[in-house]
Amino acid sequence: MAEAERGVGRLGSLLQAMGSWRTAAVALLSFSSGLPLGLVWIAIPDWMRSVGIDIRLVGLLTLIQAPWTFKVFWAPLLERYSLPWLGRRRGWTALMQVTLLVLSLSLASVGQHPNTLWVVMALALAIACASATQDLAIDAYAVEVLHPTEQGVAVGARTAVYRAAMYISGGLSITLAGRYSWPLVNISLALFYVPLLWVTWKAPEPETHASTLPSLRDAVWEPLLDVFRRPRALEILAFVCLYKLADNLAGALLRPFLIDLGYSEFDRGVGLATIGLVTTLGGTFLGGLLTTVAGLGHSLWIGGFLQIVSNLGYIRLAGSAPNRALLTAAMAFENLTQGMGTGAFSVLLLRLTQKRFSATQYALFSSLFVLPRLGSGPLSGFLVSAIGWKAFFWLTIVAGIPGLLLLHRFAPLGVREPTLAENA
């Protein structure tokens, strides 16, 4: 009877989280994060190349992604300084949304001719900086406003909305620009920030407010010292780096892998874009929901184990002739389990982050999360060249084991909720 009552309680918490305005506000604000990312990462390089910009200069545009990687270095500014409107986090979010609106409108008048490249690059860099700062504020807001029972649902919804925004600004925009014009597309993208400003204005404030840190020095050092004062701090930080290592290695050279096996452009496009996107979103949403229903500890183990063994599908692919059904099954399973691991892991990041240091600590943890991805490509290339594809994917499975061993240190197998620092 007690177990049945707990099950009903968990279902009630899940339904309540789905109907929460806090969950909805966090998810909708993620659209504001995805919109500039798709524009800078995908659309602007495509736009510049389509008007005849030299490919070497287009390649330099990829460096403009740097602010998203290094945003942790100015996160303390958001801990130290509050704006005089809309609260500690929503004020910064609104300011960056206005900035992004103005910068996006500015793009509408440039970029049609090669001699405007440097203006476009400057605007793109400014958009990247404003977007990275906005991400700091939105992530910190999510840490502070969400109840623990809402975090799983919010993670899945955030990912779906974020990807939808990236699709609009980084995919649909290119198609529409080809049919109409880039100035019209940039104006349209800029106007998205108007309803998003309304969401920021109406979004609820956190129920408890952390005090602003007294000095910039405190804002820099106190969040870091708090992390390292925790029991097993280094093990947890190592886990943050290693939990997704198997996925990072396996996915780093996936397109060259499929090319080497002889799969066509159509097969690669359907497998990597359509099937990959849908199953990743579904898996992330499922992984987030599992943290509410089954508990964070169980979800991390389920996602961690499945995302490792899913690479068996690529081992099977490496040992067979091109087979569209086998490709579809391998891609769907791998992306579904990758998403499940990401969903559970994203909830862990929310719970590891102290509310009073939410901007800096979340930026730190998320930066550590993506750090292995930077070295996965070069490392994977050398490994594949030395041992071949099949042995390489066996090695990725082995590479996932240290993450599970570290998980056992603070969330032993069978424990529903791991013991973490109090989120206050």
Side-chain angles (χ1 to χ4, degrees):
M1 179 65 72
E3 183 61 34
E5 289 176 353
R6 282 196 293 270
V8 172
R10 292 167 194 162
L11 180 60
S13 297
L14 185 62
L15 294 175
Q16 186 177 15
M18 288 181 174
S20 167
W21 174 226
R22 289 181 296 271
T23 302
V26 168
L28 291 172
L29 287 175
S30 296
F31 194 92
S32 195
S33 291
L35 209 59
L37 191 66
L39 179 65
V40 172
W41 280 26
I42 304 170
I44 289 179
D46 184 280
W47 175 20
M48 291 295 95
R49 185 57 177 161
S50 69
V51 297
I53 299 298
D54 187 284
I55 189 63
R56 293 170 295 180
L57 295 177
V58 174
L60 288 175
L61 281 169
T62 61
L63 296 175
I64 292 171
Q65 302 173 19
W68 282 287
T69 302
F70 298 111
K71 62 186 178 183
V72 66
F73 292 108
W74 65 90
L77 293 174
L78 276 70
E79 308 286 15
R80 172 63 183 91
Y81 301 107
S82 295
L83 300 179
W85 58 78
L86 296 181
R88 188 184 186 204
R89 303 307 183 191
R90 292 186 302 134
W92 279 104
T93 301
L95 177 62
M96 292 303 106
Q97 286 171 337
V98 171
T99 303
L100 288 166
L101 188 155
V102 172
L103 292 170
S104 298
L105 285 175
S106 300
L107 278 177
S109 61
V110 300
Q112 293 294 337
H113 304 287
N115 59 6
T116 60
L117 172 65
W118 303 110
V119 178
V120 172
M121 290 183 71
L123 288 171
L125 180 59
I127 288 172
C129 291
S131 177
T133 305
Q134 178 191 233
D135 288 352
L136 289 170
I138 292 175
D139 290 338
Y141 175 74
V143 170
E144 294 177 16
V145 78
L146 291 172
H147 293 175
T149 55
E150 297 167 342
Q151 291 170 340
V153 175
V155 162
R158 286 183 79 186
T159 303
V161 172
Y162 183 86
R163 289 295 187 97
M166 282 192 66
Y167 169 76
I168 290 172
S169 62
L172 184 60
S173 65
I174 295 173
T175 302
L176 293 176
R179 183 166 184 176
Y180 301 103
S181 69
W182 273 111
L184 181 60
V185 167
N186 284 322
I187 290 172
S188 301
L189 292 176
L191 293 178
F192 272 111
Y193 293 106
V194 176
L196 290 168
L197 274 166
W198 181 87
V199 173
T200 303
W201 175 40
K202 291 296 185 180
E205 270 291 280
E207 294 173 356
T208 59
H209 292 273
S211 59
T212 302
L213 294 171
S215 70
L216 189 55
R217 181 181 182 278
D218 288 336
V220 172
W221 290 110
E222 285 301 319
L224 300 178
L225 292 175
D226 175 78
V227 170
F228 287 102
R229 290 189 191 110
R230 301 177 189 182
R232 298 195 178 104
L234 293 178
E235 292 177 8
I236 291 177
L237 293 176
F239 170 75
V240 170
C241 285
L242 295 177
Y243 183 69
K244 301 287 290 181
L245 181 59
D247 268 347
N248 289 332
L249 287 172
L253 297 178
L254 204 49
R255 289 181 185 273
F257 168 60
L258 297 181
I259 292 172
D260 285 357
L261 293 183
Y263 284 96
S264 67
E265 290 87 348
F266 174 82
D267 290 334
R268 299 197 305 272
V270 171
L272 293 169
T274 307
I275 296 172
L277 175 62
V278 172
T279 52
T280 299
L281 289 178
T284 304
F285 197 77
L286 179 59
L289 291 182
L290 273 176
T291 63
T292 301
V293 177
L296 177 58
H298 294 157
S299 300
L300 286 169
W301 276 104
I302 293 170
F305 176 75
L306 289 178
Q307 70 186 9
I308 291 174
V309 301
S310 67
N311 289 345
L312 290 171
Y314 293 144
I315 294 172
R316 181 72 177 85
L317 277 178
S320 66
N323 183 319
R324 187 173 293 173
L326 183 60
L327 172 66
T328 301
M331 293 292 298
F333 183 56
E334 196 275 334
N335 282 281
L336 179 69
T337 57
Q338 179 192 47
M340 290 176 65
T342 299
F345 189 77
S346 298
V347 174
L348 174 69
L349 295 188
L350 289 173
R351 296 191 186 176
L352 282 174
T353 305
Q354 295 274 24
K355 291 183 178 180
R356 54 192 171 139
F357 308 129
S358 50
T360 302
Q361 286 189 351
Y362 193 92
L364 172 65
F365 291 134
S366 58
S367 295
L368 287 174
F369 171 48
V370 301
L371 185 61
R373 194 181 305 166
L374 296 177
S376 293
L379 179 59
S380 297
F382 283 106
L383 287 172
V384 170
S385 177
I387 63 178
W389 285 112
K390 198 167 187 177
F392 167 72
F393 283 114
W394 277 113
L395 188 61
T396 65
I397 293 176
V398 175
I401 295 174
L404 294 183
L405 294 176
L406 287 167
L407 174 60
H408 184 71
R409 294 286 295 166
F410 68 94
L413 190 62
V415 172
R416 176 181 167 85
E417 298 292 346
T419 301
L420 304 170
E422 182 184 358
N423 192 277

